[in-house]
Amino acid sequence: RVNFSDMLLEQQDIDPVISSSAGDFIFPVVHLGFWLYKADRFYGVSMRQLNKQTVQGIDKGELINHWTFAYGKSIKVSDDFFFKPAFKMNYVARSKPSLEGQAILSYKETIAFGLGARSGMGVSGLLKVGVGRFLTFAYAYDLTLNKMRYDGGATHELVLGINACGGSEGSYQHCAAYD
């Protein structure tokens, strides 16, 4: 293992082994966020890299703040269907903000299908299925549309959600373990 922090390199990108070890740093980072939940909507603000750590051995190796602002709403379409739009803005200093949006159509809070988009970067689709009172399975497919698609392409994501409080069939229940 290469101790990258003890090296002084004139050109930091000459050897892929050395430059890839830059991701091996372990040091404390502090994140802070506040979320407000109401019966039919949520608001959120969070900041990552609150303590702005510096990375020794890398020019301008300071971790900068990442701000996130989020809003979502649940709109009852009928007794069985809910429409759930959500929006998020991410901001990192010295870069333009990125916007994200998604729209989910939920049937009895048990099955949901959704579409999402990231400002000029990609689109996604998701499917969520609730199984019993305690489990949720979800699948998401993300298609990258910008130049990063040449190196990374699309991604698949599988999620297993566990609700410690269970709740009643087909409806959400607040859970003291998470509230």
Side-chain angles (χ1 to χ4, degrees):
R1 188 173 190 135
V2 177
N3 188 350
F4 190 69
S5 64
D6 290 339
M7 296 181 163
L8 177 62
L9 302 174
E10 297 300 320
Q11 290 181 303
Q12 295 176 5
D13 59 348
I14 55 173
D15 187 342
V17 171
I18 293 173
S19 61
S20 69
S21 69
D24 291 343
F25 294 107
I26 299 174
F27 46 81
V29 293
V30 178
H31 307 314
L32 177 67
F34 296 99
W35 292 91
L36 172 64
Y37 289 94
K38 296 182 108 186
D40 65 341
R41 68 192 72 198
F42 69 88
Y43 305 89
V45 61
S46 65
M47 184 173 68
R48 293 174 300 219
Q49 316 300 353
L50 184 65
N51 55 340
K52 297 180 88 170
Q53 288 280 3
T54 57
V55 180
Q56 300 297 321
I58 299 177
D59 290 342
K60 299 178 184 176
E62 180 181 80
L63 300 178
I64 57 178
N65 302 123
H66 291 61
W67 287 91
T68 300
F69 304 94
Y71 170 76
K73 185 168 176 69
S74 181
I75 302 166
K76 188 174 184 175
V77 177
S78 71
D79 286 341
D80 295 334
F81 287 95
F82 284 87
F83 175 64
K84 299 177 180 182
F87 304 93
K88 183 169 75 167
M89 182 182 79
N90 295 305
Y91 176 72
V92 180
R94 298 182 297 273
S95 66
K96 68 180 187 175
S98 70
L99 301 174
E100 299 181 25
Q102 72 176 20
I104 295 175
L105 185 61
S106 175
Y107 174 71
K108 291 188 177 183
E109 298 291 332
T110 303
I111 298 173
F113 172 75
L115 297 172
R118 293 184 318 277
S119 56
M121 293 184 239
V123 294
S124 59
L126 64 92
L127 176 65
K128 181 182 90 163
V129 178
V131 179
R133 295 174 55 198
F134 298 98
L135 295 177
T136 301
F137 294 101
Y139 168 76
Y141 178 78
D142 187 282
L143 180 62
T144 303
L145 299 176
N146 62 10
K147 292 180 182 179
M148 289 175 46
R149 72 180 180 270
Y150 300 119
D151 287 330
T155 61
H156 301 271
E157 180 178 341
L158 295 172
V159 177
L160 171 63
I162 301 171
N163 182 356
C165 295
S168 59
E169 281 295 326
S171 66
Y172 175 77
Q173 173 183 333
H174 284 282
C175 181
Y178 303 108
D179 289 346

